[in-house]
Amino acid sequence: MNKTFFISILFLLISLVSLGQKPAKLSSNQIYEKIQKLNFLGTALYIAAHPDDENTRLISYLANHVKARTGYLSLTRGDGGQNLIGPEIRELLGVIRTQELLAARDIDGGEQFFTRANDFGYSKHPDETLAIWEKDKVLSDVVWAIRTFKPDVIINRFNHRTPGSTHGHHTTSAMLSVKAFDLVGDENQFSEQLKFTNVWQPKRLFFNTSSWFYRNSDDFENATKELSKVDVGVFYPLKGLSNNELASMASSQHLCQGFGRLTTRGSENEYLEFLKGDSLAVKNDIFSGIDTTWKRVEGGSEIGEILYKIEQNFDFVNPSNHLPKLLEAYQKVMLLKDNYWREIKQNQLLEIIEACAGLYLEVSAESSTAIPGEKISVNFELINRSQIPIMLTSIKSTLEDKTTFKGLDLKPNQRLNFKETIVIQTSNFTSPYWLKNEPTLGLYNVENQLLIGKPVTPREAKIEFNLVMNYIPITITKNIIRRYAESDKGEIYEPFEILPKVTTKLTEKVLIFSDSIPKKVAVEIRSATNYINGNVTLQVPQNWRIEPENHHFDILQKNDKQVVEFLVFPPKNQQEAMLKVVATIDEKEFDKELIEINYNHIPKQSVLLNSEAKIVRLNIEKTGNNIGYIKGAGDLIPESLRQIGYQVEEIMPSEITEVSLQKYDAIILGIRAYNLIDELKFKQKYLLDFVKNGGNLIVQYNTDRGVDVAAPFMLKLSNDRVTDESSEVLFLDETHPILNFPNKISQDDFKGWTQERGLYFPNSWGEEFTPIFSMNDKGETPKKGSLLVAKYGKGNYIYTGLSFFRELPSGVSGAYKLFANMLSLPKNLDQESTEKN
């Protein structure tokens, strides 16, 4: 096997294991590919609505085959979806999906951008989407992205001409892209942006059509005959991978959406419909007629003369032989008048120069966290693995605006280590910038124009290495990180975080008081430094009461925790409110909770949110006590039901037997359980026998993608959903026990729902089922499949697409009452209905 080929594959496999955490260490093959990209001066921007909407095949093709600077603008962070790998939803899910997108771009070679649009959930029409998103603000973000990224070509994933035929967010992304294409070059449009950027006019706009948009293959073939097409199945010998393999690996990073997939190989066409701009000089070349050479920029020709020769005569055995010429080109790039290309090519050249020199620069803190004002000790490691002379003249900390002069020669392959003390002179904490202010339903509140669109908060903790390489000064900047080892995991890299001195945490984010009895509420206090003490209290509305008024805390060691307990006394009447935690140290208040998200496929994330919980005084009755729960995609239903006094035990599918289910009064299947757990089809007999013998079985929603929920009677799932959380709900049989026992359900119980009514309702069912509700979005026919109940033997089979997985964790009172009624449903429905009448 070719040596460079083997090294390239080995690096790729290693990088996938520790994606986004370990620093890149480029092989000769990868350096050469970087030089090819350095010599292409063209930019493409792909636009869609959500994480996973992007066509990784086309993004990878443009970035790796064409060598264009390629970006993906996702209008949202996917906050409104479901999470298949953990309990995080809403804002925290958006944090995960942001990192998964970055992981995908690390593989396919693209860059990642966003707007401030908040994914409020499924939308059926762009009119609704644009109203909730505040159209002009999201449009301004699309314009901003185009003006700053400056693409020559823009490609839309969705069709702007078909509103109402797909997710409203999808069509809206294309509509805004088409609108922005006409506005970005007009200095009178969103002129406030021109303080930070300038106008730009892309050359062309395309629609990347797909067979998804057509009824059958014949329609698709006829529609694409005259369109531009590219074969995205090209093979990359330097990688040992085809483009579609690379794309599959990229899309597989969307693990919280269940996108792990097999790689594919072979010829595969993508089709592009020309929408606007300059006509194509060559049908299947979207950059045709656009100068993508160094001649594009004033002063670029002489740079190109140097860099094209390096590309043509690249030394794979010893890339450092190219350093003198690379440094010469770097000096010339620094003189370019074109700010856009100067910055891009400067950064690309620095990465190549660093790799060719085998230059390793690392700044590792002794802890992964610090607080403002703290002095931290950091370890520096530098090594020059080339023969070219390199001197470290000085280092500069961006945290304290301090330069330390060194004047140290980096001798070939001789490691240089030293320590420095750095003071954290910033009051900014490490946390996603878009979550710092309270958002609206449709928009994140970001005040700093320069942050809008960035995937993550720029790191403040950096070190600038001022070097002289072959007598030419260069500066390379590195983030401070923490590198350490664990015996069972090996070498670990973690981001360095700046955190508040103290954070607090309430174990429960929603506290349900089903009667007037007070509850113990535990507050966990976590210190981010040594030797702190202060007081912590709970803030509640006047008609609530806490004992004691406050607790003193005294924590000696960093990262240690102390737990204190309060008694919270609810009011007599039903009410919803917020409970807030405030810790006070030396008269300074701290009101944030630290949430750490740590999955193997993305870097560890630290998120600071308000330390608070929703408190609900709920007049609720229930029968039964022991509930079995079979986990599906993951939700907080078990924790929520424990709040109102149920004993909930998780059931492993492998442990389901006729005998094991007998101890439960009711069994709940988590969302998408049949979609995710193949073993359930072998256990369905026992679940139905449980119902037949007198139990209640509640099956929550599953998607309609070829799944069989194995109901006792005919039941057909569909895509029917009601996305308006305030839509009218009609009771089809007001005497039905599920609306009356043990809690009387009224229209008030459908107030305050969040994000949606429900999703994937059945649209056809056997006569044995009784539909309970009718509901629909504006302009649509009534949907009656949100809650279906069937008598089966002595028990009840209940199927529901209502979004309890969102409503219970949000503390929606009516959702709790309705769920308690489902669990309490009498065995003899006819008898109970007669008694109520």
Side-chain angles (χ1 to χ4, degrees):
M1 180 183 289
N2 178 279
K3 185 176 181 181
T4 54
F5 171 83
F6 175 77
I7 292 172
S8 178
I9 293 298
L10 180 62
F11 172 83
L12 183 60
L13 292 174
I14 292 171
S15 67
L16 292 181
V17 172
S18 55
L19 211 48
Q21 309 217 23
K22 292 187 178 181
K25 301 170 186 176
L26 304 181
S27 68
S28 292
N29 285 7
Q30 291 168 314
I31 295 172
Y32 177 68
E33 290 178 311
K34 296 282 187 183
I35 291 172
Q36 289 180 309
K37 203 171 186 71
L38 180 66
N39 284 333
F40 189 93
L41 279 70
T43 305
L45 181 63
Y46 200 89
I47 298 180
H50 309 106
D52 86 358
D53 284 345
E54 79 273 27
N55 185 340
T56 54
R57 295 181 300 276
L58 193 51
I59 290 174
S60 180
Y61 175 86
L62 292 170
N64 295 283
H65 182 72
V66 178
K67 305 299 180 185
R69 185 187 183 208
T70 307
Y72 173 44
L73 174 60
S74 175
L75 266 60
T76 77
R77 297 176 186 267
D79 331 68
Q82 287 88 50
N83 183 1
L84 300 187
I85 61 173
E88 297 89 355
I89 58 173
R90 289 303 308 151
E91 293 88 350
L92 297 180
L93 178 59
V95 172
I96 293 173
R97 291 189 172 181
T98 294
Q99 291 299 320
E100 289 183 339
L101 276 170
L102 289 172
R105 300 295 80 79
D106 278 346
I107 294 173
D108 63 32
E111 300 176 47
Q112 185 61 51
F113 307 97
F114 295 94
T115 73
R116 290 170 291 175
N118 191 346
D119 182 359
F120 56 84
Y122 192 87
S123 172
K124 293 180 178 178
H125 200 279
D127 289 348
E128 177 197 32
T129 300
L130 290 168
I132 294 175
W133 277 356
E134 301 178 55
K135 175 184 175 180
D136 284 348
K137 291 184 179 179
V138 179
L139 175 60
S140 76
D141 290 358
V142 178
V143 169
W144 170 256
I146 296 171
R147 284 175 172 173
T148 53
F149 191 63
K150 302 192 185 310
D152 297 303
V153 296
I154 296 175
I155 304 170
N156 293 340
R157 167 78 281 189
F158 299 105
N159 192 342
H160 66 288
R161 298 158 296 198
T162 56
S165 63
T166 181
H167 196 324
H169 297 181
H170 291 169
T171 310
T172 299
S173 70
M175 292 169 63
L176 292 178
S177 174
V178 171
K179 183 72 172 175
F181 187 88
D182 294 332
L183 300 179
V184 290
D186 185 347
E187 62 183 14
N188 295 314
Q189 300 292 332
F190 305 109
S191 56
E192 69 281 358
Q193 297 177 359
L194 302 181
K195 299 175 186 176
F196 310 102
T197 188
N198 46 41
V199 294
W200 176 255
Q201 185 56 59
K203 299 295 185 183
R204 299 184 182 110
L205 176 66
F206 296 91
F207 163 43
N208 175 207
T209 190
S210 167
S211 58
W212 299 339
F213 305 129
Y214 296 88
R215 290 175 299 177
N216 53 58
S217 58
D218 289 339
D219 286 352
F220 176 60
E221 185 176 343
N222 289 330
T224 55
K225 281 180 180 178
E226 302 302 320
L227 302 187
S228 300
K229 67 178 180 180
V230 292
D231 184 353
V232 295
V234 293
F235 178 67
Y236 302 127
L238 291 173
K239 300 179 185 294
L241 293 167
S242 61
N243 184 76
N244 29 20
E245 286 178 290
L246 205 63
S248 297
M249 294 158 66
S251 62
S252 286
Q253 300 310 304
H254 297 300
L255 295 183
C256 73
Q257 301 187 71
F259 259 54
R261 59 186 57 187
L262 291 171
T263 57
T264 61
R265 285 149 290 279
S267 180
E268 186 175 3
N269 288 327
E270 286 290 339
Y271 295 88
L272 297 163
E273 178 188 353
F274 174 76
L275 297 178
K276 284 189 175 188
D278 298 344
S279 59
L280 284 167
V282 179
K283 180 180 177 181
N284 294 327
D285 180 1
I286 64 173
F287 282 96
S288 62
I290 301 171
D291 189 354
T292 58
T293 71
W294 275 103
K295 293 179 181 178
R296 177 173 189 162
V297 294
E298 182 182 346
S301 294
E302 56 186 23
I303 298 170
E305 287 181 13
I306 298 170
L307 296 176
Y308 292 137
K309 288 179 182 177
I310 293 175
E311 180 180 345
Q312 292 164 7
N313 303 289
F314 186 71
D315 189 340
F316 285 88
V317 175
N318 190 5
S320 65
N321 285 335
H322 298 296
L323 283 169
K325 285 296 183 181
L326 287 168
L327 288 163
E328 181 184 344
Y330 175 78
Q331 286 183 300
K332 293 181 182 297
V333 166
M334 294 291 287
L335 299 175
L336 290 176
K337 295 178 182 179
D338 188 316
N339 294 334
Y340 173 77
W341 287 113
R342 183 179 67 243
E343 182 178 351
I344 291 171
K345 296 306 174 183
Q346 174 191 344
N347 292 334
Q348 290 178 345
L349 262 170
L350 281 176
E351 183 183 20
I352 292 168
I353 289 168
E354 183 181 352
C356 285
L359 184 60
Y360 186 80
L361 307 173
E362 181 184 276
V363 197
S364 178
E366 294 184 352
S367 171
S368 61
T369 65
I371 64 171
E374 183 178 350
K375 292 182 179 180
I376 62 169
S377 178
V378 292
N379 300 306
F380 287 76
E381 179 178 335
L382 301 85
I383 188 167
N384 168 22
R385 288 169 286 193
S386 73
Q387 297 300 312
I388 198 165
I390 302 177
M391 173 183 282
L392 174 67
T393 58
S394 64
I395 55 173
K396 180 181 179 181
S397 166
T398 58
L399 285 171
E400 52 182 345
D401 195 23
K402 172 185 173 184
T403 299
T404 302
F405 293 94
K406 290 295 180 181
L408 300 172
D409 287 325
L410 300 184
K411 297 178 181 179
N413 212 32
Q414 298 296 309
R415 188 173 68 246
L416 174 64
N417 293 97
F418 57 87
K419 287 189 176 184
E420 294 287 343
T421 299
I422 294 174
V423 181
I424 309 295
Q425 292 183 352
T426 179
S427 59
N428 296 325
F429 301 127
T430 305
S431 190
Y433 71 86
W434 64 95
L435 298 181
K436 288 187 177 180
N437 300 319
E438 192 70 23
T440 65
L441 173 63
L443 203 70
Y444 284 112
N445 180 9
V446 181
E447 298 169 350
N448 186 343
Q449 180 67 50
L450 294 176
L451 285 177
I452 292 173
K454 292 186 181 296
V456 294
T457 308
R459 294 277 168 179
E460 283 198 75
K462 297 176 180 288
I463 295 292
E464 295 175 359
F465 291 85
N466 298 311
L467 306 161
V468 174
M469 185 179 292
N470 207 30
Y471 312 108
I472 295 173
I474 66 170
T475 297
I476 297 176
T477 304
K478 296 291 182 182
N479 291 330
I480 298 176
I481 50 90
R482 186 193 176 204
R483 179 170 68 97
Y484 64 102
E486 291 186 0
S487 59
D488 59 339
K489 295 179 181 177
E491 189 174 57
I492 298 172
Y493 284 78
E494 283 187 349
F496 178 77
E497 318 277 39
I498 301 171
L499 300 175
K501 185 178 291 187
V502 65
T503 53
T504 59
K505 178 182 178 181
L506 290 159
T507 305
E508 304 291 345
K509 300 306 176 216
V510 176
L511 296 163
I512 306 295
F513 294 78
S514 57
D515 49 39
S516 60
I517 298 174
K519 280 190 175 186
K520 285 184 179 179
V521 175
V523 177
E524 178 185 279
I525 307 154
R526 175 175 172 173
S527 174
T529 186
N530 294 329
Y531 310 115
I532 66 164
N533 61 78
N535 294 302
V536 63
T537 188
L538 302 182
Q539 294 181 350
V540 294
Q542 288 184 352
N543 51 349
W544 294 71
R545 186 165 58 88
I546 61 166
E547 289 184 2
E549 290 186 1
N550 61 68
H551 275 290
H552 182 75
F553 61 86
D554 199 332
I555 303 176
L556 299 179
Q557 291 186 329
K558 180 175 183 174
N559 293 326
D560 199 4
K561 301 171 185 176
Q562 182 177 334
V563 178
V564 298
E565 288 186 341
F566 293 88
L567 269 180
V568 177
F569 295 79
K572 293 181 180 179
N573 298 324
Q574 188 163 303
Q575 183 188 11
E576 298 180 2
M578 294 302 295
L579 177 151
K580 299 183 178 181
V581 185
V582 177
T584 305
I585 302 174
D586 297 328
E587 299 185 350
K588 184 174 181 180
E589 293 186 345
F590 298 85
D591 60 359
K592 298 297 181 184
E593 174 187 356
L594 172 63
I595 301 165
E596 294 178 323
I597 301 173
N598 203 359
Y599 291 100
N600 290 334
H601 66 302
I602 59 174
K604 181 180 178 182
Q605 300 296 299
S606 295
V607 183
L608 294 170
L609 297 178
N610 291 334
S611 184
E612 59 187 14
K614 186 176 183 179
I615 46 178
V616 180
R617 171 65 171 96
L618 176 61
N619 294 320
I620 189 170
E621 301 290 338
K622 64 185 184 66
T623 63
N625 188 47
N626 296 320
I627 309 298
Y629 174 80
I630 301 171
K631 184 177 180 180
D635 55 47
L636 298 176
I637 297 292
E639 294 89 335
S640 300
L641 294 178
R642 291 182 187 116
Q643 289 259 11
I644 56 174
Y646 284 105
Q647 299 294 319
V648 185
E649 180 179 315
E650 184 171 342
I651 303 172
M652 301 303 294
S654 60
E655 298 172 357
I656 294 175
T657 65
E658 183 178 3
V659 175
S660 69
L661 301 181
Q662 290 178 356
K663 60 181 177 180
Y664 300 112
D665 299 309
I667 294 173
I668 305 166
L669 269 68
I671 58 174
R672 298 177 69 175
Y674 288 103
N675 293 122
L676 298 173
I677 307 171
D678 288 338
E679 194 170 0
L680 278 181
K681 61 188 175 185
F682 304 114
K683 302 293 184 176
Q684 187 68 12
K685 174 184 181 300
Y686 302 117
L687 293 172
L688 293 181
D689 283 347
F690 168 79
V691 180
K692 188 181 292 185
N693 292 329
N696 287 338
L697 177 66
I698 299 174
V699 180
Q700 297 186 86
Y701 94 90
N702 288 264
T703 65
D704 64 337
R705 296 168 188 166
V707 70
D708 180 10
V709 296
F713 311 109
M714 191 274 284
L715 185 68
K716 184 178 179 181
L717 304 184
S718 75
N719 282 317
D720 286 354
R721 62 201 303 161
V722 176
T723 61
D724 182 357
E725 63 271 25
S726 61
S727 62
E728 183 182 7
V729 178
L730 300 179
F731 296 0
L732 298 177
D733 180 3
E734 294 189 358
T735 66
H736 197 284
I738 210 165
L739 298 176
N740 294 280
F741 180 81
N743 304 285
K744 179 70 175 178
I745 303 298
S746 71
Q747 290 293 335
D748 286 344
D749 292 310
F750 286 91
K751 293 178 180 178
W753 282 51
T754 181
Q755 187 160 323
E756 61 200 349
R757 288 294 189 202
L759 61 171
Y760 294 104
F761 298 164
N763 64 357
S764 180
W765 51 85
E767 61 182 10
E768 296 86 355
F769 282 104
T770 300
I772 306 300
F773 303 116
S774 174
M775 58 187 73
N776 58 274
D777 284 318
K778 184 178 179 180
E780 293 191 350
T781 58
K783 307 293 186 291
K784 299 181 179 180
S786 64
L787 179 58
L788 302 172
V789 182
K791 180 75 174 169
Y792 183 63
K794 298 179 181 179
N796 303 293
Y797 179 96
I798 304 167
Y799 188 92
T800 180
L802 292 171
S803 60
F804 289 107
F805 70 102
R806 295 194 190 281
E807 313 313 323
L808 297 192
S810 296
V812 178
S813 302
Y816 272 93
K817 291 168 64 178
L818 182 56
F819 210 101
N821 282 14
M822 292 194 300
L823 292 171
S824 306
L825 200 57
K827 295 179 181 180
N828 191 328
L829 290 182
D830 294 334
Q831 177 183 339
E832 184 64 30
S833 181
T834 301
E835 290 174 358
K836 289 292 177 184
N837 286 329

